[in-house]
Amino acid sequence: MRIPMCEPDITAAEREAVDEVLRGTTLSIGPRLELFERRIAAYVGARHAAGVSSGTAGLHLCMLAAGVGEYDLVLTTPFSFVASANAIMYVRARPVFVDIEPNALTIDPQRLADTARVVSRRHGRRLKAILPVHVFGQTADMDPILEIAERHGLAVIEDACEAIGATYKGRPAGTIGDAGAFAFYPNKQMTTGEGGMVVTNHHGWDALFRSLRNQGRDVFDGWLAHSRLGYNYRLDELSAALGAVQAQRLDELLEKRARVAAWYEERLASLEGVERPGPAAWTTRMSWFVYVVRLAPRHDRDRLIRELEARGVPARPYFPPIHLQPFYRGRFGLRPGDFPVTEAAGASCLALPFFGTMREEQVDYVCGALAEALGLEPRTEPAARRAVG
Ligand SMILES: Cc1ncc(COP(=O)(O)O)c(C=O)c1O
């Protein structure tokens, strides 16, 4: 059996919506984008939502809206996909990395408070924002983060690219800080192919997002009048039509993913040295993005990945820490040992195949292959074998 790493969940409704766009003549800046934005805003309870070409583009625009610019500093986490730190670099500011807490793997509020105090004392007003990353489908611990932001007068930009639909003490990811960015790459909980969305309750920020994504035009500008330096970060109508249907199905999509996670949870319970992921104390709704287990140090992850691959099961180390990426090491002289909790997580995390349309026997197969590769016996009898015997 060959198992895919991920797969989008696309139905006839999405295909029909995209086809309808193709039967018309408006392929960009049209009614589907507005519909998609209204649906996302309503789903997460944000006043404004602006569609953009990717989650990365959304984070970039958030940096600009927060007034982050050259030589400024932004507190963020090195345990993330590289895009969160890159967005800070795009505006010629500098990420100040803060280590994570070991369970939820999100930015550690205590370390954040300490670093904010030191950086703020040394660099004063150059410290502009906090960029927490909601990893693997749940938020960072936002209350202390908001408190630290308030104390130092900082904007809070949520990287919610992996967490659409998650809630923190009942509050939806992306709507807790000043703005939040979602991403819709095909491995995400919902997809538009490529695409993203920025949500905010600040009217002025939303107006800026709309102008910046559209070459700096203001709503009242003519087509070739540009009030500011902007970008082409528009989301086309085909992607928006796909997204509008996926947004309508979001609860269903998240439930299907939660069911797959529950199958994994049950089957991996007995595998020694394989720690299963789960919700943090503050998570009131998990939005399962990936299924990432943590391996005890005695398990050789690289060997395991090879053994799984030989059995048709892809698995990925997730995340290699940002501060150890060649670009960041070279630019800032960062080294192994700088962020030990992040490095320990980066060295032990393993993402298993995960998608909402995954079948129970596929989960059985992955868990069987994992047990075999580890030289262990799974506790639950695989459904596939049950069915045959
Ligand atoms: C944490 C995080 N931030 C940002 C992004 C960037 O999103 P996109 O790939 O849509 O640019 C991703 C997407 O993979 C992500 O996982």
Side-chain angles (χ1 to χ4, degrees), residues 325-388:
Q325 295 289 350
F327 170 76
Y328 284 92
R329 284 182 78 151
R331 177 65 69 97
F332 299 118
L334 297 161
R335 286 188 309 268
D338 285 345
F339 301 98
V341 187
T342 291
E343 288 164 36
S348 61
C349 280
L350 184 71
L352 299 175
F354 186 72
F355 43 99
T357 51
M358 200 168 177
R359 297 188 312 276
E360 197 169 3
E361 61 264 28
Q362 290 178 307
V363 175
D364 280 336
Y365 185 80
V366 173
C367 296
L370 184 61
E372 231 175 72
L374 290 167
L376 302 166
E377 264 305 303
R379 184 180 54 111
T380 316
E381 201 186 326
R385 246 188 273 149
R386 272 204 307 271
V388 178

Side-chain angles (χ1 to χ4, degrees), residues 54-56 59 80-81 83 133 159 161-162 183 188 195:
S54 70
T56 310
L59 289 170
S80 173
F81 181 61
V133 181
D159 181 339
C161 288
E162 300 193 351
K188 295 291 189 293

